[in-house]
Amino acid sequence: MSDMNFDDDIDIGEIEYLYNVLIIGESTVGKTCFLARFTDGVFLEDHIATIGIDSRIKNIKLDDGTNVRIQIWDTAGQEKFRTITKNFYRNADGIILIYDVTKIDSFKSVHTWVKQVKANVSSDVSLVLVGNKIDLEEERQVNTTDGENEAAKYNIKFFETSSLQDVNVTETFMELTHQIHKKLGVRRKKKSTRLAAKKEEKKKEEENKCC
């Protein structure tokens, strides 16, 4: 897996790729705290439940020097906001599906979320499964093996995390970004090159017209 450095001072003009990441899962599994830990390096002791969609941005420099910006969308898990979430699937390059290891019902809903993902995105979209809140070990209802087996069913990566203790949060985003760039980087670079060539061709045509 590629090493990555986080550099929010990267100039917008130096960004070579923009990838969209969607965080999904039931309400109260810790999606907002998970995001804040990654983007701001903090744990939110008190926060209001996400209503609809919220987003944050993180700049990453890959080990080959490529500058990547990921825009991360934090979604509400409540049923009444599912329609809003569906509208964001089509633009997602990667998805993090989170359940709470202390709430068996959030784990049982993983299948429903995966089914929704498959119904709304292309096969190019990368997906990882996260069992969150492992700091609450005494309250655990979902063991590690069950999480691993669930991820294996869909052939996706699995992480157990703690936003409070900052365990595997960054690693989850690193793995997902690596997967996204491996799948889409070359294709988007070729597309960008073609667009640049067309712009140059159009520019020359305009220059010829004026002369």
Side-chain angles (χ1 to χ4, degrees), residues 125-142:
V125 173
S126 299
L127 174 66
V128 297
L129 180 64
V130 168
N132 194 31
K133 302 187 183 181
I134 59 172
D135 50 280
L136 301 175
E137 186 60 36
E138 293 183 356
E139 301 175 37
R140 182 189 280 268
Q141 297 180 359
V142 184

Side-chain angles (χ1 to χ4, degrees), residues 152-179:
K153 282 167 53 177
Y154 308 110
N155 193 30
I156 59 178
K157 289 285 187 177
F158 171 68
F159 293 89
E160 284 197 328
T161 65
S162 168
S163 301
L164 174 64
Q165 298 176 341
D166 193 14
V167 176
N168 281 340
V169 175
T170 296
E171 287 78 1
T172 300
F173 280 98
M174 287 172 65
E175 170 63 27
L176 183 63
T177 304
H178 170 71
Q179 289 186 24

Side-chain angles (χ1 to χ4, degrees), residues 20-24 53 71-75 85 88-89 92-97 176:
N20 291 304
V21 171
L22 195 63
I23 303 178
I24 61 175
I53 298 283
Q71 183 160 17
I72 311 158
W73 301 89
D74 174 20
T75 67
T85 301
F88 281 79
Y89 279 126
D93 300 308
I95 296 174
I96 298 173
L97 170 53
L176 183 63

Side-chain angles (χ1 to χ4, degrees), residues 47-87:
H47 70 279
I48 300 173
T50 303
I51 299 176
I53 298 283
D54 188 18
S55 71
R56 301 193 187 193
I57 287 174
K58 191 75 172 178
N59 296 331
I60 297 173
K61 183 183 288 291
L62 304 184
D63 60 348
D64 63 358
T66 302
N67 294 319
V68 173
R69 170 167 289 185
I70 53 174
Q71 183 160 17
I72 311 158
W73 301 89
D74 174 20
T75 67
Q78 298 95 323
E79 185 67 33
K80 63 182 177 180
F81 294 116
R82 295 286 173 86
T83 301
I84 297 175
T85 301
K86 286 181 180 180
N87 292 334

